[in-house]
Amino acid sequence: MDVLIIGGTGLISTGIARQAVDAGHDVTAFHRGETDADLPDAVAHVHGDRNDDERLAEVAESVDPEVVIDMVCFSPDQAESAVEAFDGVEQFVFCSTVDVYHRPLEANPATEEAARHPPVSDYGADKAECEDVFFEAGGDAFATTVIRPWSTYGEGGPVIHTMGWGTYYLDRVRKGEPVIVHGGGATLWGPCHRDDVAGAFVEAIGNETAYGEAYHVTSEEVISWNQYHEYVADAMDAPEPEMVYIPTDKLVAAVPDRTDPLVDHFQYSTVFDNSKAKRDLDFEYTIPFREGVERTIDDLERRDAIDDADSENDDEIIAAWRDSTASFVEAFDG
């Protein structure tokens, strides 16, 4: 089919473009031309800003796709513009997120029917509104398919951790420096490699079973944060990680400018049911985290993209926490 990817050079969309070409589709990527990506020569490129409604309409007319995959829609206004521009295509596939769901989840594993209100974050609320716009357009403007990834990683991206996305974390791990872990490290997390996520998007293309449906595309290997850091260390042939456990509320109070992901995401144990995507999109989880994170770290090292261990104030945070806990213990010591 003729497929237009809005984005096309990001982490997941690079994987989608590659796999869609392999599957025999004609692929065009619409992006600003500011990000290099290792895409097949068969991918055509058109440049522009998707926030420019006139340009979006021009691209819709000139490319004339059968299927649109929107990887960079984050607001209801953008969604409304996309509906207007692509009215008449066969299918519109929207990359949403599991952040549309309220936290904590009512039950694990969560299905696609889990409660979305109140929203966990502004980002999640906006994505949920985008979904509503596209589903409301479904059947009139085009058939809508919504895919909700979770924590997606892979070559070209970072390795997340309690304090966010800074690559300095990896330098701390390989040098045996202590790393900050929220709570006791026992909450659950489920990274999924971008190639597995991308495969579900490609299987959705022209798949009439997926019309009007939403799908989880997430990890099948849910691990604790303690295990997560151990896998990262093992992938780097580093010493067993020295984890410094700090309660989430204390971290947020101390360094609120560095803990947005922790507040909205990392502090919660979440598990998502992928059975619907397995049934309709042939979704498979094929890349274990230990393998995938090694590939991701190798890519970062090749690009010399790992910052120094002391690039952020983690040592200061750790020292302050250790001093405060020592004083607490001393207050009750004999």
Side-chain angles (χ1 to χ4, degrees):
M1 302 186 76
D2 291 324
V3 178
L4 174 67
I5 303 176
I6 304 178
T9 60
L11 182 66
I12 301 175
S13 53
T14 297
I16 295 171
R18 292 173 180 170
Q19 293 184 38
V21 168
D22 289 344
H25 300 294
D26 293 323
V27 178
T28 301
F30 173 45
H31 54 93
R32 291 174 296 179
E34 298 176 357
T35 303
D36 292 328
D38 184 14
L39 295 177
D41 292 339
V43 175
H45 297 263
V46 290
H47 295 157
D49 185 345
R50 67 95 28 83
N51 293 312
D52 181 340
D53 291 349
E54 184 175 336
R55 180 58 179 153
L56 195 65
E58 290 173 352
V59 170
E61 183 176 358
S62 63
V63 176
D64 192 23
E66 296 169 274
V67 176
V68 176
I69 301 177
D70 196 339
M71 302 301 295
V72 289
C73 179
F74 301 104
S75 74
D77 288 344
Q78 290 176 320
E80 295 283 3
S81 296
V83 170
E84 183 174 350
F86 295 105
D87 187 349
V89 304
E90 179 174 333
Q91 181 190 24
F92 196 96
V93 181
F94 171 52
C95 181
S96 186
T97 171
V98 294
D99 292 345
V100 298
Y101 300 120
H102 172 65
R103 300 291 197 284
L105 295 171
E106 293 178 350
N108 283 308
T111 70
E112 287 82 357
E113 306 305 316
R116 299 194 302 171
H117 301 284
V120 68
S121 64
D122 290 341
Y123 169 73
D126 285 345
K127 281 287 195 176
E129 287 190 51
C130 291
E131 288 188 1
D132 293 342
V133 170
F134 291 127
F135 276 129
E136 287 168 8
D140 293 325
F142 40 62
T144 295
T145 301
V146 168
I147 296 182
R148 298 170 181 158
W150 184 12
S151 174
T152 306
Y153 73 101
E155 295 87 328
V159 177
I160 63 171
H161 51 97
T162 288
M163 305 306 292
W165 292 269
T167 57
Y168 75 92
Y169 155 77
L170 296 172
D171 195 36
R172 296 188 70 86
V173 171
R174 68 183 170 191
K175 291 178 177 176
E177 298 290 333
V179 296
I180 297 170
V181 182
H182 54 283
T187 52
L188 301 178
W189 195 248
C192 190
H193 193 276
R194 65 96 181 272
D195 289 346
D196 285 340
V197 174
F201 278 86
V202 174
E203 288 292 335
I205 295 172
N207 182 344
E208 294 185 8
T209 303
Y211 291 2
E213 300 292 340
Y215 297 94
H216 294 156
V217 178
T218 68
S219 177
E220 292 278 291
E221 182 188 12
V222 181
I223 57 179
S224 72
W225 280 98
N226 286 330
Q227 293 170 308
Y228 179 97
H229 296 296
E230 289 166 358
Y231 281 136
V232 170
D234 188 56
M236 302 184 79
D237 291 324
E240 184 175 342
E242 179 185 353
M243 293 180 260
V244 179
Y245 300 112
I246 303 179
T248 294
D249 59 341
K250 303 304 181 187
L251 270 176
V252 172
V255 284
D257 58 323
R258 296 193 58 202
T259 49
D260 282 350
L262 174 57
V263 171
D264 295 340
H265 311 292
F266 303 159
Q267 67 171 313
Y268 300 109
S269 282
T270 47
V271 180
F272 299 94
D273 184 350
N274 296 319
S275 59
K276 188 176 176 183
K278 291 178 183 177
R279 182 193 69 204
D280 294 351
L281 306 180
D282 291 330
F283 171 62
E284 291 185 85
Y285 183 78
T286 66
I287 303 172
F289 180 65
R290 171 60 181 77
E291 174 190 336
V293 78
E294 182 172 359
R295 287 166 48 177
T296 304
I297 293 167
D298 287 347
D299 174 72
L300 287 164
E301 290 177 333
R302 280 194 300 270
R303 295 187 286 114
D304 193 26
I306 298 177
D307 293 331
D308 292 338
D310 59 358
S311 295
E312 294 286 353
N313 65 336
D314 290 37
D315 286 323
E316 180 182 350
I317 296 169
I318 290 168
W321 176 250
R322 285 174 166 169
D323 286 346
S324 65
T325 53
S327 298
F328 176 78
V329 173
E330 288 171 3
F332 293 91
D333 187 4

Tab-separated table of all heavy atoms in Angstrom, residues 3-38:
chain	number	residue	atom	x	y	z
A	3	VAL	N	1.953	4.283	1.865
A	3	VAL	CA	1.932	4.624	3.288
A	3	VAL	C	2.695	5.924	3.518
A	3	VAL	O	3.845	6.068	3.071
A	3	VAL	CB	2.569	3.495	4.134
A	3	VAL	CG1	2.584	3.874	5.605
A	3	VAL	CG2	1.823	2.185	3.921
A	4	LEU	N	2.071	6.848	4.207
A	4	LEU	CA	2.725	8.080	4.626
A	4	LEU	C	2.944	8.025	6.124
A	4	LEU	O	1.992	7.830	6.889
A	4	LEU	CB	1.870	9.297	4.282
A	4	LEU	CG	2.391	10.642	4.814
A	4	LEU	CD1	3.699	11.033	4.126
A	4	LEU	CD2	1.344	11.742	4.647
A	5	ILE	N	4.199	8.167	6.548
A	5	ILE	CA	4.519	8.231	7.973
A	5	ILE	C	4.763	9.690	8.334
A	5	ILE	O	5.680	10.329	7.794
A	5	ILE	CB	5.751	7.395	8.325
A	5	ILE	CG1	5.557	5.939	7.904
A	5	ILE	CG2	6.038	7.479	9.825
A	5	ILE	CD1	6.793	5.070	8.129
A	6	ILE	N	3.938	10.235	9.212
A	6	ILE	CA	4.177	11.583	9.714
A	6	ILE	C	5.182	11.436	10.846
A	6	ILE	O	4.879	10.907	11.909
A	6	ILE	CB	2.894	12.255	10.210
A	6	ILE	CG1	1.841	12.267	9.113
A	6	ILE	CG2	3.185	13.689	10.673
A	6	ILE	CD1	0.510	12.869	9.540
A	7	GLY	N	6.392	11.891	10.610
A	7	GLY	CA	7.534	11.608	11.469
A	7	GLY	C	8.540	10.850	10.619
A	7	GLY	O	9.110	11.401	9.686
A	8	GLY	N	8.728	9.602	10.940
A	8	GLY	CA	9.540	8.744	10.075
A	8	GLY	C	11.001	8.655	10.439
A	8	GLY	O	11.700	7.747	9.982
A	9	THR	N	11.501	9.586	11.262
A	9	THR	CA	12.918	9.547	11.618
A	9	THR	C	13.142	9.329	13.115
A	9	THR	O	14.279	9.344	13.573
A	9	THR	CB	13.622	10.860	11.202
A	9	THR	OG1	13.004	11.967	11.869
A	9	THR	CG2	13.532	11.060	9.697
A	10	GLY	N	12.061	9.139	13.873
A	10	GLY	CA	12.188	8.920	15.304
A	10	GLY	C	12.497	7.471	15.634
A	10	GLY	O	12.686	6.630	14.743
A	11	LEU	N	12.542	7.179	16.912
A	11	LEU	CA	12.938	5.850	17.376
A	11	LEU	C	12.032	4.757	16.809
A	11	LEU	O	12.491	3.824	16.143
A	11	LEU	CB	12.923	5.805	18.905
A	11	LEU	CG	13.367	4.484	19.536
A	11	LEU	CD1	14.837	4.225	19.267
A	11	LEU	CD2	13.088	4.486	21.037
A	12	ILE	N	10.727	4.864	17.068
A	12	ILE	CA	9.807	3.831	16.597
A	12	ILE	C	9.583	3.951	15.097
A	12	ILE	O	9.551	2.949	14.370
A	12	ILE	CB	8.454	3.923	17.336
A	12	ILE	CG1	8.642	3.760	18.851
A	12	ILE	CG2	7.497	2.855	16.819
A	12	ILE	CD1	7.358	3.969	19.649
A	13	SER	N	9.438	5.183	14.611
A	13	SER	CA	9.074	5.358	13.206
A	13	SER	C	10.183	4.918	12.261
A	13	SER	O	9.905	4.486	11.128
A	13	SER	CB	8.669	6.804	12.924
A	13	SER	OG	9.643	7.722	13.350
A	14	THR	N	11.445	4.981	12.696
A	14	THR	CA	12.519	4.432	11.875
A	14	THR	C	12.321	2.930	11.684
A	14	THR	O	12.460	2.401	10.572
A	14	THR	CB	13.885	4.694	12.525
A	14	THR	OG1	14.101	6.107	12.607
A	14	THR	CG2	15.017	4.062	11.732
A	15	GLY	N	11.976	2.246	12.760
A	15	GLY	CA	11.709	0.813	12.662
A	15	GLY	C	10.511	0.520	11.784
A	15	GLY	O	10.503	-0.454	11.009
A	16	ILE	N	9.464	1.345	11.889
A	16	ILE	CA	8.274	1.147	11.061
A	16	ILE	C	8.626	1.295	9.582
A	16	ILE	O	8.231	0.475	8.747
A	16	ILE	CB	7.169	2.149	11.446
A	16	ILE	CG1	6.680	1.880	12.870
A	16	ILE	CG2	6.011	2.068	10.459
A	16	ILE	CD1	5.736	2.954	13.403
A	17	ALA	N	9.360	2.355	9.255
A	17	ALA	CA	9.711	2.600	7.850
A	17	ALA	C	10.495	1.424	7.278
A	17	ALA	O	10.218	0.965	6.156
A	17	ALA	CB	10.508	3.896	7.734
A	18	ARG	N	11.461	0.941	8.023
A	18	ARG	CA	12.271	-0.172	7.529
A	18	ARG	C	11.415	-1.411	7.295
A	18	ARG	O	11.505	-2.067	6.243
A	18	ARG	CB	13.371	-0.497	8.543
A	18	ARG	CG	14.442	0.571	8.689
A	18	ARG	CD	15.356	0.212	9.838
A	18	ARG	NE	16.411	1.190	10.044
A	18	ARG	CZ	17.225	1.199	11.100
A	18	ARG	NH1	17.094	0.275	12.036
A	18	ARG	NH2	18.155	2.122	11.220
A	19	GLN	N	10.597	-1.759	8.272
A	19	GLN	CA	9.802	-2.982	8.168
A	19	GLN	C	8.688	-2.856	7.134
A	19	GLN	O	8.322	-3.847	6.485
A	19	GLN	CB	9.241	-3.352	9.538
A	19	GLN	CG	10.318	-3.764	10.537
A	19	GLN	CD	9.740	-4.230	11.865
A	19	GLN	OE1	8.718	-4.887	11.909
A	19	GLN	NE2	10.416	-3.884	12.956
A	20	ALA	N	8.156	-1.650	6.976
A	20	ALA	CA	7.109	-1.450	5.977
A	20	ALA	C	7.674	-1.628	4.567
A	20	ALA	O	7.019	-2.221	3.692
A	20	ALA	CB	6.484	-0.069	6.135
A	21	VAL	N	8.884	-1.141	4.330
A	21	VAL	CA	9.542	-1.348	3.034
A	21	VAL	C	9.772	-2.839	2.807
A	21	VAL	O	9.510	-3.375	1.722
A	21	VAL	CB	10.860	-0.557	2.951
A	21	VAL	CG1	11.693	-0.998	1.748
A	21	VAL	CG2	10.592	0.934	2.889
A	22	ASP	N	10.264	-3.514	3.857
A	22	ASP	CA	10.503	-4.958	3.736
A	22	ASP	C	9.216	-5.721	3.423
A	22	ASP	O	9.252	-6.771	2.755
A	22	ASP	CB	11.116	-5.504	5.032
A	22	ASP	CG	12.560	-5.060	5.235
A	22	ASP	OD1	13.175	-4.599	4.256
A	22	ASP	OD2	13.048	-5.162	6.375
A	23	ALA	N	8.095	-5.186	3.908
A	23	ALA	CA	6.806	-5.851	3.685
A	23	ALA	C	6.217	-5.524	2.314
A	23	ALA	O	5.144	-6.036	1.964
A	23	ALA	CB	5.820	-5.462	4.780
A	24	GLY	N	6.904	-4.682	1.530
A	24	GLY	CA	6.458	-4.393	0.174
A	24	GLY	C	5.641	-3.135	0.007
A	24	GLY	O	5.127	-2.868	-1.089
A	25	HIS	N	5.513	-2.323	1.074
A	25	HIS	CA	4.748	-1.086	0.971
A	25	HIS	C	5.598	0.039	0.370
A	25	HIS	O	6.828	0.037	0.487
A	25	HIS	CB	4.245	-0.651	2.356
A	25	HIS	CG	3.360	-1.661	3.013
A	25	HIS	ND1	2.111	-1.992	2.516
A	25	HIS	CD2	3.537	-2.422	4.128
A	25	HIS	CE1	1.560	-2.904	3.298
A	25	HIS	NE2	2.399	-3.191	4.280
A	26	ASP	N	4.938	0.983	-0.273
A	26	ASP	CA	5.594	2.203	-0.745
A	26	ASP	C	5.503	3.235	0.370
A	26	ASP	O	4.394	3.643	0.756
A	26	ASP	CB	4.909	2.731	-2.007
A	26	ASP	CG	5.097	1.796	-3.190
A	26	ASP	OD1	6.189	1.205	-3.306
A	26	ASP	OD2	4.149	1.643	-3.986
A	27	VAL	N	6.651	3.667	0.891
A	27	VAL	CA	6.692	4.474	2.103
A	27	VAL	C	7.235	5.876	1.822
A	27	VAL	O	8.274	6.031	1.176
A	27	VAL	CB	7.566	3.799	3.183
A	27	VAL	CG1	7.647	4.669	4.438
A	27	VAL	CG2	7.012	2.413	3.524
A	28	THR	N	6.511	6.866	2.321
A	28	THR	CA	6.970	8.254	2.299
A	28	THR	C	7.014	8.758	3.734
A	28	THR	O	6.071	8.526	4.502
A	28	THR	CB	6.026	9.151	1.478
A	28	THR	OG1	5.954	8.667	0.138
A	28	THR	CG2	6.519	10.591	1.468
A	29	ALA	N	8.098	9.426	4.102
A	29	ALA	CA	8.240	10.006	5.436
A	29	ALA	C	8.111	11.517	5.337
A	29	ALA	O	8.812	12.163	4.548
A	29	ALA	CB	9.585	9.632	6.039
A	30	PHE	N	7.209	12.070	6.128
A	30	PHE	CA	7.007	13.525	6.181
A	30	PHE	C	7.610	14.030	7.486
A	30	PHE	O	7.137	13.698	8.571
A	30	PHE	CB	5.520	13.850	6.104
A	30	PHE	CG	5.193	15.305	6.326
A	30	PHE	CD1	5.924	16.311	5.704
A	30	PHE	CD2	4.133	15.678	7.147
A	30	PHE	CE1	5.624	17.654	5.906
A	30	PHE	CE2	3.815	17.011	7.342
A	30	PHE	CZ	4.560	18.000	6.730
A	31	HIS	N	8.668	14.821	7.379
A	31	HIS	CA	9.349	15.323	8.569
A	31	HIS	C	10.028	16.651	8.244
A	31	HIS	O	9.996	17.117	7.096
A	31	HIS	CB	10.381	14.302	9.075
A	31	HIS	CG	11.379	13.870	8.041
A	31	HIS	ND1	12.600	14.464	7.879
A	31	HIS	CD2	11.316	12.895	7.082
A	31	HIS	CE1	13.263	13.884	6.888
A	31	HIS	NE2	12.505	12.926	6.386
A	32	ARG	N	10.642	17.247	9.244
A	32	ARG	CA	11.222	18.586	9.061
A	32	ARG	C	12.588	18.558	8.394
A	32	ARG	O	13.138	19.598	8.058
A	32	ARG	CB	11.320	19.288	10.417
A	32	ARG	CG	9.980	19.668	11.004
A	32	ARG	CD	10.105	20.222	12.402
A	32	ARG	NE	10.616	19.210	13.314
A	32	ARG	CZ	10.843	19.426	14.619
A	32	ARG	NH1	10.617	20.614	15.137
A	32	ARG	NH2	11.295	18.449	15.373
A	33	GLY	N	13.155	17.378	8.245
A	33	GLY	CA	14.470	17.284	7.610
A	33	GLY	C	15.607	17.665	8.525
A	33	GLY	O	16.720	17.937	8.061
A	34	GLU	N	15.351	17.641	9.831
A	34	GLU	CA	16.357	18.076	10.803
A	34	GLU	C	17.036	16.923	11.521
A	34	GLU	O	17.998	17.120	12.253
A	34	GLU	CB	15.717	19.008	11.837
A	34	GLU	CG	15.159	20.291	11.236
A	34	GLU	CD	14.440	21.152	12.252
A	34	GLU	OE1	14.330	20.711	13.428
A	34	GLU	OE2	14.006	22.256	11.893
A	35	THR	N	16.519	15.696	11.341
A	35	THR	CA	17.054	14.532	12.050
A	35	THR	C	17.511	13.490	11.040
A	35	THR	O	16.744	13.091	10.155
A	35	THR	CB	15.982	13.910	12.973
A	35	THR	OG1	15.523	14.900	13.889
A	35	THR	CG2	16.559	12.728	13.738
A	36	ASP	N	18.764	13.062	11.181
A	36	ASP	CA	19.269	11.996	10.324
A	36	ASP	C	18.739	10.658	10.825
A	36	ASP	O	18.652	10.417	12.027
A	36	ASP	CB	20.800	11.970	10.334
A	36	ASP	CG	21.404	13.193	9.670
A	36	ASP	OD1	20.768	13.713	8.734
A	36	ASP	OD2	22.498	13.625	10.086
A	37	ALA	N	18.392	9.799	9.905
A	37	ALA	CA	17.930	8.458	10.266
A	37	ALA	C	18.407	7.483	9.206
A	37	ALA	O	18.488	7.830	8.022
A	37	ALA	CB	16.411	8.428	10.381
A	38	ASP	N	18.716	6.288	9.641
A	38	ASP	CA	19.211	5.252	8.747
A	38	ASP	C	18.017	4.535	8.124
A	38	ASP	O	17.570	3.493	8.613
A	38	ASP	CB	20.097	4.286	9.520
A	38	ASP	CG	20.734	3.237	8.620
A	38	ASP	OD1	20.692	3.431	7.385
A	38	ASP	OD2	21.270	2.246	9.149
